[in-house]
Amino acid sequence: DAMVIQNPRYQVTQFGKPVTLSCSQTLNHNVMYWYQQKSSQAPKLLFHYYDKDFNNEADTPDNFQSRRPNTSFCFLDIRSPGLGDAAMYLCATSRDRAMNEQYFGPGTRLTVT
Amino acid sequence: AQSVTQPDIHITVSEGASLELRCNYSYGATPYLFWYVQSPGQGLQLLLKYFSGDTLVQGIKGFEAEFKRSQSSFNLRKPSVDWSDAAEYFCAVGTYGGATNKLIFGTGTLLAVQP
């Protein structure tokens, strides 16, 4: 089945230690998104790629970076995780830039110790 | 600015009872509206969407939603709730920003189902 895959499902990192979360998709969608979702809150968009074009949200901290080496993969890099970065990180895809639904992966739960 | 309000943070219903989850939006143009469901520790699954046309839309798992422009609402309904419906429900409005489409989510409604 075509899908959005996130690895790992659970990630524990130490305060200040860089961490990378991975997302892959078999849908061949042009757009990939990264959301941060803290406990009992709505998902908050961090950034998205349309093909290779990167779009950062205005309030996304510089500590968060992203890479999209090809259509299928997208990475979220947190350069120096703080305790406040502990959250669920959701990857999503959308077919193209026109308005349509987003398909979400299962998420990566990040714990910062 | 676009926004979505879900007035009910937490709702408890009995199994077999009907359900209505409220959603109000603020958007200057014709809205694109979505309902997503999130089970504990999981990603979001699309229940249904409204883009245009018939204001009553049918979704998966027996859910439906009605778009009411005059009330700026897009409430989710289900005639008979099952225990497996216990989850968090997010209403979202689609908008354009940057290169492509984006979703603005409400804060969610947590649904509990009691026997």
Side-chain angles (χ1 to χ4, degrees):
Chain A
D1 288 341
M3 57 198 313
V4 181
I5 303 160
Q6 291 188 244
N7 287 305
R9 293 292 311 278
Y10 301 91
Q11 176 74 58
V12 180
T13 191
Q14 293 177 338
F15 183 94
K17 184 175 181 181
V19 65
T20 295
L21 309 183
S22 169
C23 177
S24 64
Q25 52 127 343
T26 61
L27 297 161
N28 203 32
H29 283 175
N30 284 327
V31 189
M32 295 187 77
Y33 307 82
W34 279 105
Y35 290 86
Q36 179 192 63
Q37 186 182 24
K38 295 189 176 180
S39 183
S40 302
Q41 296 184 20
K44 178 181 179 298
L45 183 64
L46 295 173
F47 24 61
H48 67 275
Y49 274 95
Y50 173 70
D51 196 13
K52 292 185 183 300
D53 293 333
F54 176 72
N55 294 269
N56 201 28
E57 293 301 295
D59 56 355
T60 298
D62 293 340
N63 197 27
F64 291 86
Q65 307 279 315
S66 185
R67 296 170 284 134
R68 190 179 185 187
N70 54 52
T71 299
S72 300
F73 284 86
C74 196
F75 299 98
L76 170 62
D77 301 309
I78 308 177
R79 292 191 297 185
S80 182
L83 298 179
D85 297 327
M88 175 77 90
Y89 289 88
L90 297 167
C91 174
T93 72
S94 182
R95 188 176 65 240
D96 53 40
R97 63 172 67 210
M99 185 57 62
N100 46 61
E101 62 262 39
Q102 294 182 17
Y103 295 81
F104 284 80
T108 295
R109 170 74 63 186
L110 178 68
T111 301
V112 182
T113 61
Chain B
Q2 304 93 338
S3 66
V4 176
T5 301
Q6 293 181 247
D8 304 306
I9 296 172
H10 188 274
I11 284 181
T12 300
V13 299
S14 298
E15 199 168 5
S18 63
L19 172 70
E20 182 168 22
L21 302 182
R22 296 183 291 165
C23 173
N24 294 97
Y25 66 89
S26 173
Y27 191 69
T30 300
Y32 301 94
L33 297 163
F34 305 81
W35 274 100
Y36 282 85
V37 61
Q38 186 178 33
S39 297
Q42 300 296 316
L44 280 74
Q45 181 183 22
L46 180 70
L47 285 176
L48 47 79
K49 64 185 180 185
Y50 172 79
F51 284 5
S52 64
D54 193 346
T55 56
L56 184 63
V57 293
Q58 303 296 320
I60 62 172
K61 304 185 180 187
F63 285 91
E64 67 179 26
E66 186 171 12
F67 169 60
K68 293 185 177 180
R69 183 186 299 276
S70 62
Q71 298 177 19
S72 298
S73 69
F74 188 56
N75 293 348
L76 182 71
R77 300 194 294 249
K78 186 171 185 179
S80 177
V81 167
D82 181 75
W83 67 268
S84 63
D85 295 323
E88 188 147 27
Y89 292 79
F90 291 95
C91 181
V93 63
T95 182
Y96 285 96
T100 186
N101 68 83
K102 299 163 62 172
L103 292 178
I104 297 173
F105 286 92
T107 51
T109 297
L110 185 63
L111 174 66
V113 180
Q114 61 186 14

